[in-house]
Amino acid sequence: MNLETSIQYVKGVGEARAKQFKKLGVETVGDLLFFFPRAYENWTPESSIHKAPLYTNCCIRAYIAEPPIVSRISGGRLLTKCSATDGETIMNLVFFNNPYIADKLIEGKEYLFYGKLSRNLYGGREMTSPRLGSVELAGKVRPVYHQTAALKSAVIENCVKNCFSSLKDLPETLPEYLISKYDLMPRYEALRQMHFPDNGDMLFKARRRLVFEELLIFRLALFLIREKGSENDGIALKKDYTDEYAQYLPFTLTNAQKKCIREIAADLSGTKPMNRLLQGDVGSGKTAVAAAAIYSCAKNGYQSALMAPTEVLAEQHYKTLLRLFEGTDLNICLLTGSKTAKEKRKAKESLALGETDIAVGTHALLQSDVEFKKLGLVITDEQHRFGVNQRAALAAKGDNPHVLVMSATPIPRTLALIVYGDLDVSVIDELPPGRQVIETYKVNSGYRQRIYRFIKKHLDEGRQAYIICPLIDSDEEEPADLIAAKELFEELSKGEFKNYKVGLLHGKMRPNEKNNTMRLFSEGEIQLLVSTVVVEVGVDVPNATVMVIENAEMFGLSQLHQLRGRIGRGKHKSTCILVSDDEGENAKQRFEVFCSTTDGFVIAEKDLELRGPGDFFGERQHGIPQFKIADIFTDSKSLYAAQKIAEGILSLDPRLQRAENRMLKESVDRLIADFQKAN
Ligand code: ADP
Ligand code: MG
């Protein structure tokens, strides 16, 4: 058995389960070993029931004080109640529909209980549906995997365990000199500890080793790509027309926009192709900046292509550009999957002839029959939805065109310089004047009825609203109090909001279903949209003025910020409401920052500060680019370190040709090949 072996041959898997694993992207033994837990449960008991934190997961060591009482409640549900004590304080235990639990709760026997403590009506401590463990588990850290309905975390845990029993060791992938210099855990040991850590300290070291490797290879790859890129001859525009463009705009550019346009104009006039990231908060006016570059290219006789990740976004850009180029003689076309064959053919013909100056579209632009006469500029929006490879595939339709990447994820500038090592960075750090402030409040779940009244008031006034949930489906193994989009949609559309048009949006829907729902929402045909975080992708519905975020503690600060950017885009005042019962210190601080500012860069800095490397017990946030294990926020320090180490290695061995760097070269080549695999 090795890393390439099909998962099917792992003990406990077999054909049927292999199919279920495939849904999680796991097909080989290697995939499984790199399918890291999404979280860990820390089974280190609190010092006492009295001192344990409320409303956040914790582990309590206590013995059963009274035998359980079983009864039937409404809907025929089974209710099991009993009490446990640590010798000082009593804690009530409540279980629903668990017919086996009563037999386990033996008076006088000591257990570990894992779950959330709450205060009951009389001020006493209570835990609902805790997980039971024997006292031997004390101090252990247990893995929690992303699961599907068919494949539960516990089953995955078992398969990973079997995998490690048949695989006694793995070849090392880092040179010995790095392992000893930076005191890194060997590869096999690191992978094992990632799944079954002996304790928090070992987990930290395991993760450190894997993050080190991932970031180092990533940085080396970017350095080597960049080295190649600079050899190419680009298109130097003869004359700069960006000032002329400003005259056509219906508004005055902000200073930040002007600065970015100057930086871009300088690139466009150089012989080295531009490779620039344009970073700016939602609504900061990135499209207007990009339009200046498009205009200047067009006036010099070059075409531009703008690629967006979804049809709705492509349409949005198309409309914005039509508006921005009103009064000019530029021609724009829209190319998306849902255009008719005839429309597409026409658009392609005029692009090939050079009659169209700008092609806006989705992945449809990448198709081989889309040809440009003279492609000078490639722009991608919301870059984290595309791979480096797709950017390259689009650029390949021209002869070394300039490349501009737009991103609305505000990451601190210093960090961006490293993460986008192959790109120069321009930042729009200022919003256009006269923007509506968004008011943000944090409430607990006791306010739900009031929130619903508030939403109705806005819907009745003709506005629209979002409710964001952390889960798609409710899931018995998740803590019971997480709200799932599907269930909430069912409940609200049949109950509270039955007289309104309610829609549902989540990541498991097919792309055309998603597009359809988003279109209905942007056309006002859906008034209330119940959604998961999928809605965060640059969608512009100015009429939406309320956003409610359920279980707000489940989201990182930067993610909350992205979500909130969906409202406050029109002339009406907007309100964002965070709903959470989490009283933990970290959650509280995050909510405070979030309610007090809407500045994405301030939020990103705070996010970095509050998360810190110790935060890996929580859920991983989707960073950009997609690392297997590293997170650009929590691992920013490692990222800086990787930068320095990569520079050091390349200064001695610029092409990684020395024997001691053979393993690095292999990994780097593999990553570059991944980058460049078209589509
Ligand atoms: P982003 O893509 O950065 O989220 P957009 O480019 O879509 O932002 O701009 C958001 C809105 O602000 C658009 O309606 C745009 O026309 C407008 N806008 C852009 N720049 C300015 C400005 N300097 N002054 C006033 N309005 C602006
Ligand atoms: Mg935009």
Side-chain angles (χ1 to χ4, degrees), residues 280-287 313 316-317 320 381-382 406 408 538-540 566 569:
D281 222 336
V282 276
S284 60
K286 292 184 290 297
T287 316
L313 278 177
Q316 216 166 270
H317 277 300
T320 308
D381 185 22
E382 308 293 341
M406 301 197 284
V539 172
D540 190 17
R566 303 297 120 235
R569 301 173 77 90

Coordinates of all heavy atoms in Angstrom, one line a residue, residues 280-287 313 316-317 320 381-382 406 408 538-540 566 569, ligand 2:
G280 N -9.6 45.8 -3.2 CA -10.4 46.9 -2.6 C -11.6 46.3 -2.0 O -12.2 45.4 -2.6
D281 N -12.1 46.9 -1.0 CA -13.3 46.5 -0.3 C -14.4 46.5 -1.2 O -14.4 47.2 -2.3 CB -13.5 47.5 0.9 CG -14.0 46.7 2.1 OD1 -14.5 45.6 1.9 OD2 -13.8 47.2 3.2
V282 N -15.5 45.7 -0.9 CA -16.7 45.8 -1.7 C -17.2 47.2 -1.8 O -17.2 48.0 -0.9 CB -17.8 44.9 -1.1 CG1 -17.7 43.5 -1.4 CG2 -17.8 45.1 0.4
G283 N -17.5 47.6 -3.1 CA -18.0 48.9 -3.3 C -17.0 50.0 -3.4 O -17.3 51.2 -3.5
S284 N -15.7 49.7 -3.3 CA -14.7 50.7 -3.4 C -14.4 51.2 -4.8 O -13.7 52.2 -5.0 CB -13.4 50.1 -2.8 OG -12.9 49.0 -3.5
G285 N -15.1 50.6 -5.8 CA -15.0 51.1 -7.1 C -13.8 50.5 -7.9 O -13.2 51.1 -8.7
K286 N -13.7 49.2 -7.8 CA -12.6 48.5 -8.6 C -12.9 48.5 -10.1 O -12.1 48.6 -10.9 CB -12.5 47.0 -8.1 CG -11.9 46.9 -6.7 CD -11.7 45.5 -6.3 CE -13.0 44.7 -6.0 NZ -13.8 45.2 -4.9
T287 N -14.2 48.3 -10.3 CA -14.6 48.2 -11.8 C -14.3 49.5 -12.5 O -13.8 49.4 -13.6 CB -16.1 47.9 -11.9 OG1 -16.4 46.8 -10.9 CG2 -16.5 47.4 -13.3
L313 N -22.7 37.5 -11.8 CA -21.6 38.5 -11.7 C -21.2 39.0 -13.1 O -20.9 40.2 -13.2 CB -20.4 37.9 -11.0 CG -20.5 37.9 -9.5 CD1 -19.3 37.2 -8.8 CD2 -20.7 39.3 -8.9
Q316 N -23.6 41.4 -14.3 CA -23.5 42.6 -13.5 C -22.4 43.5 -14.0 O -22.5 44.7 -14.2 CB -23.2 42.2 -12.1 CG -23.8 43.1 -11.0 CD -23.6 42.3 -9.7 OE1 -24.5 41.5 -9.3 NE2 -22.5 42.5 -9.0
H317 N -21.2 42.9 -14.3 CA -20.1 43.7 -14.8 C -20.4 44.2 -16.2 O -20.0 45.3 -16.5 CB -18.9 42.7 -14.9 CG -18.1 42.6 -13.7 ND1 -17.5 43.7 -13.0 CD2 -17.8 41.5 -12.9 CE1 -16.9 43.3 -11.9 NE2 -17.1 42.0 -11.9
T320 N -22.5 47.3 -15.7 CA -21.7 48.4 -15.1 C -20.8 49.0 -16.2 O -20.7 50.2 -16.4 CB -20.8 47.8 -14.0 OG1 -21.6 47.1 -13.1 CG2 -20.1 49.0 -13.3
D381 N -12.2 38.7 -12.0 CA -12.8 39.3 -10.8 C -12.9 38.2 -9.8 O -13.1 37.0 -10.1 CB -14.2 39.8 -11.2 CG -14.8 40.5 -9.9 OD1 -14.0 40.9 -9.0 OD2 -16.0 40.7 -9.9
E382 N -12.9 38.6 -8.5 CA -13.0 37.6 -7.4 C -12.0 36.5 -7.6 O -12.4 35.3 -7.7 CB -14.4 37.1 -7.3 CG -15.5 38.2 -7.3 CD -15.4 39.0 -6.0 OE1 -14.9 38.5 -5.0 OE2 -16.0 40.1 -6.0
M406 N -8.8 41.2 -9.8 CA -9.5 42.1 -8.8 C -10.0 41.2 -7.7 O -10.5 40.1 -7.9 CB -10.7 42.7 -9.5 CG -10.4 43.6 -10.7 SD -11.8 44.7 -11.0 CE -12.9 43.6 -11.8
A408 N -11.9 41.3 -3.7 CA -12.6 42.1 -2.7 C -12.3 41.5 -1.3 O -12.9 41.9 -0.3 CB -14.1 42.1 -2.9
G538 N -19.3 38.4 -4.5 CA -19.6 39.7 -5.2 C -21.0 40.0 -5.7 O -21.1 40.7 -6.7
V539 N -22.0 39.6 -5.1 CA -23.4 39.8 -5.7 C -23.9 41.2 -5.3 O -23.7 41.7 -4.2 CB -24.4 38.8 -5.2 CG1 -25.8 39.1 -5.6 CG2 -24.0 37.4 -5.7
D540 N -24.5 41.9 -6.3 CA -24.9 43.3 -6.0 C -26.4 43.4 -6.2 O -26.9 43.4 -7.3 CB -24.2 44.2 -7.1 CG -24.4 45.6 -6.8 OD1 -24.7 46.0 -5.7 OD2 -24.1 46.4 -7.7
R566 N -22.8 42.5 1.2 CA -23.9 42.3 0.3 C -25.0 43.3 0.5 O -25.9 43.4 -0.3 CB -24.5 40.9 0.4 CG -23.6 39.7 0.2 CD -23.1 39.7 -1.2 NE -21.7 39.7 -1.2 CZ -20.9 40.6 -1.8 NH1 -21.5 41.5 -2.6 NH2 -19.6 40.6 -1.7
R569 N -25.7 48.7 -0.3 CA -25.2 49.0 -1.7 C -26.1 49.9 -2.4 O -25.8 50.3 -3.6 CB -25.0 47.7 -2.5 CG -24.0 46.8 -1.8 CD -23.9 45.4 -2.5 NE -23.1 45.5 -3.7 CZ -21.8 45.3 -3.8 NH1 -21.2 45.0 -2.7 NH2 -21.2 45.4 -5.0
Ligands
MG2 MG -17.4 44.4 -7.9

